[in-house]
Amino acid sequence: MKLIPLGLLLLCAVFTFAQSNNAPSTYDTHEIAITGYLQTQYQRAQSAGILSFSGGDFAKNSKDRFMIRRGRLKIDRADKYSSIVFQIDATQNGVQLMDAFIQLHRPTSKALLFTAGLFNRPFGHSIVYSSGYRDFPERARVFQTLMPRERDLGAMLTFRPDGKFHFLTAEVAVINGSGHSARDYDSKKDIVGNLGFKFDSLANKKLHIGFGGSIYQGSVRSDTESYFSSNSSGFVKNTSPDYVDWNAKRNYYGGNLQLQYDNTFGTTLFKAEYIAGTQPGVASSSSITGPVASQSFAAQPATDLYLRPFSGYYLWLTQQIAKSRFTALLAYDSYDPNSDLKETQIGAPGSNTTAGDIKFNTLGYGMACLINSRMKLTVYNEHVVNDPTQLAGYLEDLKDDVFTVRLQYRW
């Protein structure tokens, strides 16, 4: 396990304006509390059977569907020394464990927390920001790819000082790195570090600002004698018996910003986040299709690793309409799984490139209506664009837009 230098930890950050998943419903002493939310939705895709990051891929011959996107049930308890959180997700696909962790703290202060169990990786803004409060239906493609299901198993220290430094949040976590899976396929652990800032009392308390950066240092074990490294023309194969049981670097660096202004027309909220680094993936195949080739894996990859330099970001803008129940939504996100290459190079003979190297941009827009304090209706469309490549099936922009109507109830 590698240690992060202190200087790097001081550059890491995370900030949230609202509910974080890594916390009980309240830190006030209480017996069992039950909270949660249900998201039921209708979706229509531009084509049948598309691969999608808007709630999962569509079935082979289907381009519209009803589904339960999330059905969360959270149980927590807190006393003066500790708290415990247990959360499940129940959908048409079954029941899955989402969170299960214990937090310890001093009886007189919650400034220092120790968390152990299954929890959200403390990276950036959108990963720890609850889906029950997020204005947009899904997280950006880049975060769904790098950190699917957001959670991992491990231990974390959180520092939120009282007094004049109350604007600061610092977190360091040691995790398996295999994600939501209970099985860690190597003996090394990954480290996530965060340091964030929040200021709420600007411009007569109308302006709220948060910003920070994040760092992830980890690795993925190689199970073969070869791996592929990227350059400006494609991938080069590297072969040696020493590459069996070798650990390829999995390093991310990110920054985030949140601005909220409470104006006479209604609340304006802007959020942005950028992430870049190196991601070990694999090649596309009959069993690992398209963008999933650059995804993080919960199990040991059985084929050669592909090391890709990546970058991605999102821009989210929401505007309350005349202080009414309606909020306009506008988003743009981009994920380039291989920033060494142009799309026209992908699929070229001898380049060893696959669909896992294709860049996707998504423009999202819609409207949300807060029906009452518990119920929200969201109507949202995603226009997904990829540039043409030389790969069969990706010679032009895919017809993979998705329209969503979602009803959410939170209790």
Side-chain angles (χ1 to χ4, degrees), residues 82-152:
S82 63
S83 58
I84 183 171
V85 173
F86 184 85
Q87 182 175 205
I88 60 173
D89 185 32
T91 71
Q92 67 280 340
N93 298 320
V95 179
Q96 286 192 316
L97 179 65
M98 293 303 296
D99 296 294
F101 58 85
I102 298 171
Q103 283 188 336
L104 305 177
H105 53 77
R106 296 174 57 194
T108 56
S109 173
K110 310 297 187 301
L112 185 63
L113 295 169
F114 173 76
T115 305
L118 177 66
F119 51 82
N120 277 268
R121 302 172 180 95
F123 188 99
H125 175 77
S126 67
I127 289 294
V128 298
Y129 190 88
S130 172
S131 297
Y133 291 85
R134 189 179 58 245
D135 294 306
F136 298 89
E138 305 297 338
R139 292 175 175 87
R141 178 186 290 252
V142 60
F143 287 103
Q144 291 192 56
T145 304
L146 301 177
M147 302 182 190
R149 299 195 70 81
E150 300 87 51
R151 277 84 174 165
D152 213 316

Side-chain angles (χ1 to χ4, degrees), residues 72-233:
R72 301 292 170 82
L73 183 66
K74 183 177 181 179
I75 302 171
D76 63 79
R77 182 187 183 276
D79 57 38
K80 64 178 182 178
Y81 299 102
S82 63
S83 58
I84 183 171
V85 173
F86 184 85
Q87 182 175 205
I88 60 173
D89 185 32
T91 71
Q92 67 280 340
N93 298 320
V95 179
Q96 286 192 316
L97 179 65
M98 293 303 296
D99 296 294
F101 58 85
I102 298 171
Q103 283 188 336
L104 305 177
H105 53 77
R106 296 174 57 194
T108 56
S109 173
K110 310 297 187 301
L112 185 63
L113 295 169
F114 173 76
T115 305
L118 177 66
F119 51 82
N120 277 268
R121 302 172 180 95
F123 188 99
H125 175 77
S126 67
I127 289 294
V128 298
Y129 190 88
S130 172
S131 297
Y133 291 85
R134 189 179 58 245
D135 294 306
F136 298 89
E138 305 297 338
R139 292 175 175 87
R141 178 186 290 252
V142 60
F143 287 103
Q144 291 192 56
T145 304
L146 301 177
M147 302 182 190
R149 299 195 70 81
E150 300 87 51
R151 277 84 174 165
D152 213 316
L153 284 151
M156 175 172 62
L157 280 176
T158 302
F159 181 54
R160 297 190 183 100
D162 301 319
K164 62 180 181 180
F165 293 106
H166 66 280
F167 56 83
L168 173 67
T169 297
E171 295 173 290
V172 177
V174 181
I175 58 177
N176 281 342
S178 52
H180 198 261
S181 170
R183 300 184 64 182
D184 189 7
Y185 52 81
D186 62 25
S187 60
K188 294 184 180 294
K189 298 295 175 277
D190 296 355
I191 298 179
V192 191
N194 303 294
L195 176 69
F197 304 87
K198 174 184 176 182
F199 299 94
D200 282 332
S201 301
L202 305 175
N204 295 321
K205 298 184 178 181
K206 293 183 178 181
L207 179 63
H208 314 273
I209 299 176
F211 59 90
S214 307
I215 189 169
Y216 186 112
Q217 288 197 338
S219 62
V220 174
R221 179 184 177 275
S222 171
D223 203 35
T224 67
E225 293 186 354
S226 301
Y227 80 93
F228 288 81
S229 55
S230 178
N231 59 33
S232 59
S233 59

